Amino acid sequence: LAKTTQPISMDSYEGQEVNITCSHNNIATNDYITWYQQFPSQGPRFIIQGYKTKVTNEVASLFIPADRKSSTLSLPRVSLSDTAVYYCLVGEGNNRLAFGKGNQVVVIP
Amino acid sequence: DAGVIQSPRHEVTEMGQEVTLRCKPISGHNSLFWYRQTMMRGLELLIYFNNNVPIDDSGMPEDRFSAKMPNASFSTLKIQPSEPRDSAVYFCASREGQGPGYEQFFGPGTRLTVL
């Protein structure tokens, strides 16, 4: 499994754009990059997935540089309800994914 | 669809007792995953099934843990005997298919406390 490295936690003010980075230096050719979000007392939920360049959906954008050794999840204009743990996962076909501890994002009023 | 259903939502038991956690995946999903979440270790994959067959159980911590999936709509995770260090939130997740594009859908979790 490709290992990922994320900051443990970060704070952001309401209304700002939040960029969460993830390092995955040993990503394999067939690996996809997937992000999940977990609110307190809930199970994680899928946010976005990408292979290269940029992917955007109604929730977030995912930026992946050409070497694919890192990725950045961008949350536009966060609100208090975006306070959650964000997991960056790397794997082939969404099989055995290592969630780890994720990145605790706290949105401050 | 009601989503992934787990029961019980909370379980408090004493050390040495048998604990059985239950999961009903989303109808039509052919993969099922069991995870454990603790503050120390984060969210760990214990085992996953494809078409009711266990594919990878390398995350199961020890022989006290066992998981079964007798049919496509039901799975159990059993701990016997339970120990205080098993206290955690256990999540079940299911997925419709394999490969990119198939996300995992998680249940609400079972919070287990072993005294």
Side-chain angles (χ1 to χ4, degrees):
Chain A
L1 290 177
K3 181 180 178 181
T4 62
T5 303
Q6 298 177 249
I8 295 175
S9 66
M10 62 187 298
D11 296 342
S12 179
Y13 287 99
E14 197 172 14
Q16 289 187 334
E17 176 183 77
V18 173
N19 294 309
I20 308 170
T21 61
C22 179
S23 297
H24 26 81
N25 291 320
N26 59 340
I27 187 170
T29 302
N30 295 332
D31 286 342
Y32 280 71
I33 300 158
T34 309
W35 286 79
Y36 279 75
Q37 173 190 55
Q38 184 178 22
F39 296 117
S41 302
Q42 295 185 26
R45 69 171 189 171
F46 173 89
I47 302 178
I48 198 167
Q49 183 182 70
Y51 184 81
K52 61 180 179 181
T53 62
K54 176 184 175 181
V55 179
T56 298
N57 61 22
E58 65 278 6
V59 177
S61 294
L62 178 59
F63 299 91
I64 305 169
D67 65 6
R68 303 199 327 121
K69 294 184 181 300
S70 67
S71 58
T72 299
L73 176 73
S74 180
L75 306 174
R77 297 181 298 280
V78 294
S79 63
L80 299 178
S81 62
D82 291 315
T83 292
V85 177
Y86 292 83
Y87 298 92
C88 166
L89 304 103
V90 171
E92 178 182 351
N94 213 14
N95 278 330
R96 184 171 174 74
L97 298 176
F99 279 79
K101 295 184 179 181
N103 179 345
Q104 172 69 63
V105 172
V106 176
V107 179
I108 304 167
Chain B
D1 198 314
V4 175
I5 299 173
Q6 291 187 246
S7 64
R9 294 294 309 276
H10 302 274
E11 176 82 25
V12 180
T13 190
E14 292 185 343
M15 181 175 62
Q17 297 297 306
E18 176 180 293
V19 175
T20 299
L21 310 181
R22 297 172 175 79
C23 175
K24 176 178 170 55
I26 294 173
S27 177
H29 285 195
N30 58 19
S31 296
L32 183 140
F33 305 77
W34 281 102
Y35 291 88
R36 178 174 67 176
Q37 186 169 41
T38 60
M39 289 292 291
M40 288 293 293
R41 301 175 68 90
L43 188 62
E44 306 172 278
L45 177 65
L46 300 177
I47 185 172
Y48 78 89
F49 297 82
N50 277 344
N51 296 315
N52 313 336
V53 176
I55 300 301
D56 185 350
D57 65 354
S58 59
M60 296 286 263
E62 48 196 276
D63 292 345
R64 297 185 297 106
F65 286 69
S66 62
K68 294 182 179 179
M69 192 164 186
N71 57 63
S73 60
F74 183 66
S75 177
T76 60
L77 178 67
K78 183 178 294 185
I79 308 172
Q80 167 63 20
S82 59
E83 297 182 2
R85 59 189 170 127
D86 301 329
S87 297
V89 180
Y90 291 81
F91 288 102
C92 175
S94 70
R95 187 183 69 197
E96 182 177 4
Q98 298 189 59
Y102 290 104
E103 63 185 271
Q104 295 185 31
F105 291 84
F106 283 75
T110 295
R111 181 173 296 276
L112 173 65
T113 302
V114 183
L115 303 174

